[in-house]
Amino acid sequence: MTCKNCPGGYFASSPESSSCTGCDAGQFSLAEGGAIACATCRSTPDTMYSAAISTECTGCVSPLTIRVGSPASSIADCACPEGTFLRSGSISTSPECATCPDGGMCAQGTHNVTDIAAKVGYWRPAPEVSQFWECPVSVTSGD
């Protein structure tokens, strides 16, 4: 029987294993090594990420969170939460997430005011305008 003490960022599937496997993106094992599984960086709120074969997780710059469905492998997976948009800064420097304006829809990761979609029954005169107005007549979607 051969025991393998894997280095940080790797794990052995059992204490009896003779080979090591790298942790996937979004997971880590400590630098001390000896892990038999990788731990997840995911938490609530979900703000941590890591590249594959990592010994630690890194946090998104506040107030950003990890995009739903992303691998949580890098800072590129950080975004403003749903219902907000990135008003200023960037995902790596001084991000400011602002509440989506009335009449607008801000999916998670909306980058700026020009990316805000109008809700049905609302409009705005230009993409750079952050205010939406209710349409003067009823709007319905049809086939």
Side-chain angles (χ1 to χ4, degrees):
M1 176 190 319
T2 304
C3 294
K4 183 83 172 173
N5 189 15
C6 298
Y10 290 84
F11 73 100
S13 57
S14 72
E16 296 81 30
S17 181
S18 61
S19 64
C20 297
T21 302
C23 296
D24 291 334
Q27 298 182 336
F28 73 102
S29 69
L30 298 176
E32 294 82 41
I36 58 170
C38 294
T40 183
C41 292
R42 300 285 178 142
S43 60
T44 303
D46 197 1
T47 60
M48 305 296 279
Y49 62 89
S50 71
I53 310 174
S54 290
T55 58
E56 63 184 10
C57 300
T58 304
C60 294
V61 178
S62 181
L64 305 181
T65 59
I66 296 295
R67 276 182 209 273
V68 173
S70 76
S73 61
S74 74
I75 196 169
D77 292 327
C78 298
C80 284
E82 185 170 346
T84 65
F85 69 98
L86 186 61
R87 180 191 333 230
S88 63
S90 69
I91 60 172
S92 60
T93 307
S94 304
E96 180 188 349
C97 299
T99 302
C100 197
D102 289 340
M105 292 186 305
C106 296
Q108 184 186 32
T110 300
H111 292 290
N112 57 51
V113 71
T114 60
D115 293 335
I116 300 172
K119 289 181 179 177
V120 172
Y122 287 84
W123 68 281
R124 62 181 168 176
E128 308 79 40
V129 176
S130 63
Q131 185 175 0
F132 289 81
W133 287 270
E134 201 166 351
C135 293
V137 292
S138 177
V139 175
T140 58
S141 62
D143 295 319

